[in-house]
Amino acid sequence: MEISSVLQGGYQHPLSRSWQAKRTLTKSMLMYPIFITDDPDAHVEIPSLPGQARWGVNKIEEFLGPLVKKGLKSVILFGVPLKCEKDGKGTPADDPSGPVILAVKKIRELFPSVYIACDVCLCEYTSHGHCGILHADGTINSVPSAARIAEVALSYAQAGAHCVAPSDMMDGRIKAIKTALIGAGLGNKCTLMSYSAKFASSLYGPFRDAAGSAPSFGDRKCYQLPPTAKGLARRAIQRDVNEGADIIMVKPALPYLDIIADAAQIASDHPLACYQVSGEYAMVVAGARAGVYDLRTMAFETVESMIRAGCTLILTYFTPQFLDWLDE
Ligand SMILES: NCc1[nH]cc(CCC(=O)O)c1CC(=O)O
Ligand SMILES: [Zn+2]
Ligand SMILES: [Zn+2]
């Protein structure tokens, strides 16, 4: 046997195995997606996302308190308006008494150490359920869409969000948001995390169910990227870097590890995030329940793959479990 063919000596021990990782999962790398609804006392389980719930603002202390004790560092908020009047431009998105703005203020007050990101999109708030403003023929009207998204992002930043994260995939929104933040004196107070390479995926099903954000007609294929489109993803990442994004994100995560690896090259000077989306979470949970694998082992394998591909920040519904697992 050739001397150079013997590799096993390098990873025969649990400790030497751990040295093979360039980077390992820490609590700081986890951002927890949470759903805040406009019934202030709500705690409603989401059947398609086992273990996750919609919470009202009055329940945030009971919900996040135990997690913060375990080392929760950051959350990303999704508003779930159930009572409001939706319209063509998503007016309730930046309602000062809407769930997101109230939750930002509440979390800052209750848990000053927690880093708060807000997902920014219109689909939860538009009557048609699309992520932007539409022309009369139902196609996306890009310029007013980017302007409206920037307005909403600014309102979250002004409420105290540490980070705004547009997930709408409208052209021009990164520049519009960055310009709005700088114009309001928040350029150095709020991070802009772009869902740069967000694909039109089947894996958002449970989320749309949870957030009530499914489009009322058509689909999102004219703004979210085609799953085959490596080139478009690379261009979108480069474009968002040029427009002033502070963090680049790829979404979904596991089926798009090649895009994450590309992003790590293209945006090599930026932190890189990925979103293990609702359908990925539901698949991992369902597989474990079916006896295909052990939940914890599989959850680590998925997230470690994302880290290996180049991510330093992972949005995952497994965050509460990882906080426990990382302590064991
Ligand atoms: N713009 C809405 C939005 N923001 C985050 C997700 C998906 C998150 C998840 O599936 O966990 C979606 C769904 C979609 O685009 O249809
Ligand atoms: Zn949307
Ligand atoms: Zn969104």
Side-chain angles (χ1 to χ4, degrees):
M1 208 183 241
E2 289 290 322
I3 285 177
S4 61
S5 71
V6 178
L7 302 182
Q8 291 174 358
Y11 57 96
Q12 90 293 9
H13 187 278
L15 190 60
S16 61
R17 279 196 285 284
S18 77
W19 296 332
Q20 303 299 332
K22 292 254 193 295
R23 216 183 292 116
T24 52
L25 182 65
T26 62
K27 293 180 181 181
S28 314
M29 296 162 82
L30 296 165
M31 183 179 274
Y32 185 28
I34 62 176
F35 299 97
I36 309 292
T37 188
D38 52 4
D39 168 3
D41 297 311
H43 172 190
V44 182
E45 301 293 329
I46 303 164
S48 55
L49 271 180
Q52 311 300 316
R54 300 185 192 121
W55 295 84
V57 183
N58 295 343
K59 293 288 171 88
I60 285 177
E61 185 162 22
E62 146 189 355
F63 171 34
L64 294 183
L67 299 175
V68 174
K69 276 212 188 73
K70 291 179 191 175
L72 178 71
K73 307 274 187 248
S74 77
V75 292
I76 179 163
L77 308 187
F78 292 90
V80 185
L82 298 171
K83 299 196 268 198
C84 69
E85 186 86 19
K86 303 186 180 188
D87 61 19
K89 14 176 236 170
T91 299
D94 51 357
D95 177 350
S97 56
V100 172
I101 290 181
L102 292 183
V104 168
K105 293 181 174 168
K106 189 83 174 192
I107 296 170
R108 286 212 56 153
E109 181 190 308
L110 290 170
F111 308 111
S113 69
V114 170
Y115 184 97
I116 307 164
C118 291
D119 180 87
V120 181
C121 202
L122 300 184
C123 56
E124 295 95 338
Y125 306 98
T126 48
S127 40
H128 44 67
H130 281 284
C131 302
I133 291 173
L134 305 179
H135 288 294
D137 67 357
T139 60
I140 292 287
N141 194 349
S142 297
V143 174
S145 294
R148 175 73 187 126
I149 301 253
E151 216 169 72
V152 174
L154 181 57
S155 76
Y156 297 163
Q158 281 166 335
H162 300 99
C163 174
V164 289
S167 64
D168 52 287
M169 290 299 281
M170 298 299 122
D171 282 327
R173 93 270 205 213
I174 298 304
K175 186 174 174 201
I177 296 172
K178 196 66 170 185
T179 307
L181 291 173
I182 293 169
L186 293 168
N188 61 347
K189 294 198 172 65
C190 186
T191 305
L192 175 48
M193 174 162 73
S194 178
Y195 287 73
S196 294
K198 174 172 177 177
F199 290 87
S201 174
S202 311
L203 292 165
Y204 307 145
F207 173 94
R208 290 180 190 175
D209 186 31
S213 64
S216 65
F217 68 91
D219 53 42
R220 301 198 165 132
K221 291 180 185 169
C222 289
Y223 43 105
Q224 300 180 351
L225 305 178
T228 51
K230 193 176 177 74
L232 269 174
R234 293 175 57 93
R235 289 166 62 197
I237 292 161
Q238 187 63 63
R239 187 259 326 257
D240 289 358
V241 165
N242 295 341
E243 290 191 10
D246 298 302
I247 303 177
I248 297 298
M249 195 206 297
V250 174
K251 169 190 180 183
L254 203 61
Y256 296 91
L257 293 180
D258 60 321
I259 308 296
I260 295 176
D262 277 14
Q265 301 287 325
I266 297 165
S268 57
D269 297 325
H270 286 60
L272 180 57
C274 68
Y275 196 151
Q276 180 172 48
V277 300
S278 57
E280 296 181 75
Y281 170 83
M283 277 170 69
V284 172
V285 171
R289 287 184 178 174
V292 181
Y293 40 68
D294 169 63
L295 179 74
R296 174 189 160 139
T297 312
M298 186 60 190
F300 268 101
E301 186 173 342
T302 57
V303 163
E304 284 165 346
S305 300
M306 297 160 201
I307 295 171
R308 188 191 63 235
C311 281
T312 50
L313 171 57
I314 297 168
L315 286 68
T316 176
Y317 301 96
F318 283 115
T319 296
Q321 280 147 298
F322 279 124
L323 295 176
D324 285 331
W325 291 333
L326 287 168
D327 278 340
E328 282 166 14

